[in-house]
Amino acid sequence: AQTVTQSQPEMSVQEAETVTLSCTYDTSESDYYLFWYKQPPSRQMILVIRQEAYKQQNATENRFSVNFQKAAKSFSLKISDSQLGDAAMYFCAYRRTGNQFYFGTGTSLTVIP
Amino acid sequence: DTAVSQTPKYLVTQMGNDKSIKCEQNLGHDTMYWYKQDSKKFLKIMFSYNNKELIINETVPNRFSPKSPDKAHLNLHINSLELGDSAVYFCASRQTSGGSGNEQFFGPGTRLTVL
């Protein structure tokens, strides 16, 4: 069974600093996709970044980047120059070939002014 | 311009009632999903339809019945509502062919409160 683990229920970061959210997953597949979603207090789920397992290069979207370690089955999210608007719940998600997504339990990020 | 829309956004009802939540996507996607997010924010998949065909049907009480009249719509009907059904229900869609990653696009959620 595929599982996604986010071991940090809560994290905090000073505004303008960098924070890393961790995610590990369990799979026997070699081809799959990984995602980070953000859920602010508005509760809208927003895609932050995605990574294809066959790509060795880590994905980057502006201030958001990932550290994808395929052998270790690790997919951490780094947020640089944190802003107040980054405060949200962050979910790591996994999808192998097929339609089912598996979500982690989320990390609540607080940004301290 | 809303990509995935859900109605209503809030639903307050009494135990035992029957209610429906509607979802529509204008992205031209071929696959739609229903998720339940509980009070601890855990997201659990309930159903998925691909081109109106049920492809994922997780362990969900049969009081929950999805219906997909066409690939742009996926509605959720709940019979005999119980207190434990209180949650936020999210609809999502994705395109299964082409592109990279084929991520899901989520609706704004429907907060269901059963009294």
Side-chain angles (χ1 to χ4, degrees), chain A residues 33 35 37 39 42-47 50 52 54-55 89 91 95 98-105, chain B residues 9-10 33 35 37 41 43 45 55-56 58 88 90 94 96 100-104 106-109 111:
Chain A
Y33 301 89
F35 309 86
Y37 280 88
Q39 186 179 37
S42 67
R43 80 169 183 244
Q44 177 72 56
M45 293 284 285
I46 303 163
L47 178 70
R50 66 167 176 257
E52 295 86 350
Y54 64 84
K55 290 187 178 177
M89 196 79 171
F91 291 95
R95 180 180 76 82
N99 287 299
Q100 187 139 356
F101 285 70
Y102 299 86
F103 285 83
T105 49
Chain B
K9 289 205 172 100
Y10 298 93
Y33 301 78
Y35 286 88
Q37 186 175 44
K41 303 288 188 180
L43 265 170
I45 191 166
I55 54 172
I56 295 174
E58 290 294 292
V88 179
F90 283 97
R94 65 181 278 259
T96 59
S100 156
N102 308 128
E103 67 270 19
Q104 294 176 316
F106 283 83
R111 181 177 292 281

Side-chain angles (χ1 to χ4, degrees), chain A residues 4-11 19-25 33-40 44-52 58-61 63-69 73-79 86 88-95 101-109, chain B residues 43 101 103-106:
Chain A
V4 178
T5 301
Q6 293 179 248
S7 59
Q8 307 151 315
E10 297 177 344
M11 291 282 285
V19 65
T20 298
L21 308 183
S22 66
C23 173
T24 58
Y25 55 94
Y33 301 89
L34 296 162
F35 309 86
W36 278 99
Y37 280 88
K38 169 185 176 182
Q39 186 179 37
Q44 177 72 56
M45 293 284 285
I46 303 163
L47 178 70
V48 175
I49 201 165
R50 66 167 176 257
Q51 174 81 42
E52 295 86 350
N58 289 323
T60 299
E61 288 286 343
R63 297 181 295 106
F64 298 87
S65 60
V66 298
N67 183 3
F68 173 48
Q69 302 287 329
K73 298 179 185 175
S74 169
F75 182 60
S76 60
L77 175 70
K78 185 171 86 170
I79 307 174
D86 295 333
M89 196 79 171
Y90 286 82
F91 291 95
C92 178
Y94 161 98
R95 180 180 76 82
F101 285 70
Y102 299 86
F103 285 83
T105 49
T107 296
S108 178
L109 179 66
Chain B
L43 265 170
E103 67 270 19
Q104 294 176 316
F105 292 79
F106 283 83

Side-chain angles (χ1 to χ4, degrees), chain A residues 99, chain B residues 31-33 45-50 53-56:
Chain A
N99 287 299
Chain B
T31 301
M32 296 182 74
Y33 301 78
I45 191 166
M46 301 173 70
F47 304 103
S48 179
Y49 273 73
N50 175 265
E53 182 182 340
L54 182 65
I55 54 172
I56 295 174

